[in-house]
Amino acid sequence: MAEREKELAVVCSQEQLAEGIFSMWIRTKAAMTAMPGQFLSMYTNDKSKLLPRPISICEIDREKGMIRVVYRVTGEHTGTEEFSRMREGDTLPVIGPLGNGFPLEEARGRKAFLIGGGIGVPPILELAKQIDCEKQIIVGYRDDQTFLKKEFEQNGAVYISTEDGSVGTAGNVMDAIRENALQADIIYACGPTPMLKAIKAYAKEQEIPCYISLEERMACGIGACLACVCKSKDKDHHSHVHNKRICKDGPVFLSTEVEL
């Protein structure tokens, strides 16, 4: 894939969806080629913050040339906190789309689980919109702030788990699958590592293909710095060790390719 160029994206709208969770629509050339599961490297306008923030793509509007990102503010004086203060008309440098997306064609004619947990929930939305199969969307939240729930309900059967038991199944996404006796023959998932480990084990036990999107803090976003490697079954051609670069080789992997 050719190296992406940095461009100045324009903020079209911004809103807060839940405590610490913000939704931003930006106008960017990346909308023309972006796929579900890819991400943007978003830079702040603060020159002291050199590294971009990798933010998953939540929705793509090719007609309007816009991408929606839904992100969590990780603290004061951070890049994401600066993003949350941006308003319509503001600009920010971005590079994208980066990484590989979810393989949509693998699901045709199959019954799929689309699973998101925490800040791994947003990238599942565009996947649910584009994938052509029988969809069961299982999303896990901390509490009753179930952001994007309405959008998910327009795109498939939705099952929710919450850590505090306030909505849906008390527990995690695997508890929701068990409680509702759900079954599938392919899985797509994005979320924190403990959740992905459980899903990977389930997929192995059920002998079904499983594609997982890894959430790792990335630095360069283009595979040069090796800050976001994960252990892999096979040797990486770049570093010649059992590693894969999440930003370049991923973030989406077949679950059997990587060790969690």
Side-chain angles (χ1 to χ4, degrees):
M1 183 177 72
E3 296 301 347
R4 304 293 185 188
E5 289 180 4
K6 193 185 287 187
E7 64 158 318
L8 213 53
V10 180
V11 177
C12 300
S13 66
Q14 170 108 260
E15 64 175 318
Q16 186 166 357
L17 301 184
E19 188 180 340
I21 304 289
F22 289 80
S23 167
M24 183 196 288
W25 279 98
I26 59 173
R27 184 164 285 108
T28 165
K29 293 177 194 163
M32 296 300 101
T33 56
M35 294 297 292
Q38 290 187 299
F39 66 96
L40 301 177
S41 274
M42 297 172 56
Y43 293 77
T44 72
N45 292 308
D46 179 349
K47 297 291 182 276
S48 70
K49 297 186 177 81
L50 296 176
L51 295 176
R53 275 49 184 173
I55 309 284
S56 298
I57 292 168
C58 175
E59 285 190 86
I60 302 161
D61 187 332
R62 293 203 208 288
E63 282 182 23
K64 294 181 180 174
M66 291 173 13
I67 280 178
R68 183 187 192 188
V69 290
V70 172
Y71 60 95
R72 175 177 285 139
V73 172
T74 54
E76 287 184 27
H77 312 300
T78 60
T80 48
E81 195 263 341
E82 186 183 314
F83 297 152
S84 73
R85 288 188 271 112
M86 289 182 166
R87 295 293 173 260
E88 184 182 351
D90 288 346
T91 59
L92 72 162
V94 304
I95 298 176
L98 295 171
N100 63 342
F102 288 107
L104 307 182
E105 65 287 346
E106 300 295 325
R108 282 212 181 90
R110 289 172 144 175
K111 191 174 185 179
F113 284 159
L114 312 185
I115 307 175
I119 208 59
V121 166
I124 298 300
L125 180 54
E126 186 63 31
L127 175 65
K129 288 169 69 176
Q130 289 201 29
I131 205 162
D132 181 17
C133 67
E134 186 180 340
K135 292 168 273 195
Q136 299 166 96
I137 303 165
I138 305 115
V139 275
Y141 300 92
R142 290 175 181 170
D143 49 36
D144 62 0
Q145 297 197 42
T146 53
F147 56 94
L148 301 176
K149 177 174 176 279
K150 284 182 183 172
E151 289 97 323
F152 280 122
E153 287 171 344
Q154 291 163 10
N155 289 284
V158 177
Y159 304 86
I160 289 174
S161 70
T162 48
E163 288 175 22
D164 66 359
S166 55
V167 182
T169 300
N172 58 39
V173 291
M174 292 309 304
D175 295 319
I177 288 169
R178 284 187 283 268
E179 183 174 283
N180 293 285
L182 304 178
Q183 290 184 313
D185 43 27
I186 191 167
I187 298 173
Y188 296 83
C190 183
T193 302
M195 181 193 98
L196 296 179
K197 272 186 177 176
I199 292 167
K200 174 179 164 141
Y202 172 84
K204 185 179 180 183
E205 177 191 299
Q206 299 292 317
E207 297 182 339
I208 54 179
C210 173
Y211 292 92
I212 56 177
S213 178
L214 302 187
E215 288 186 339
E216 282 294 326
R217 182 58 191 275
M218 300 170 199
C220 72
I222 56 170
C225 72
L226 301 183
C228 64
V229 295
C230 64
K231 285 187 177 178
S232 63
K233 210 167 70 172
D234 303 316
K235 277 192 179 181
D236 175 59
H237 296 302
H238 180 76
S239 59
H240 305 294
V241 292
H242 288 275
N243 282 338
K244 282 189 183 289
R245 295 160 293 160
I246 290 167
C247 66
K248 190 85 171 173
D249 303 316
V252 178
F253 295 97
L254 194 58
S255 62
T256 50
E257 284 183 306
V258 291
E259 293 176 22
L260 301 176

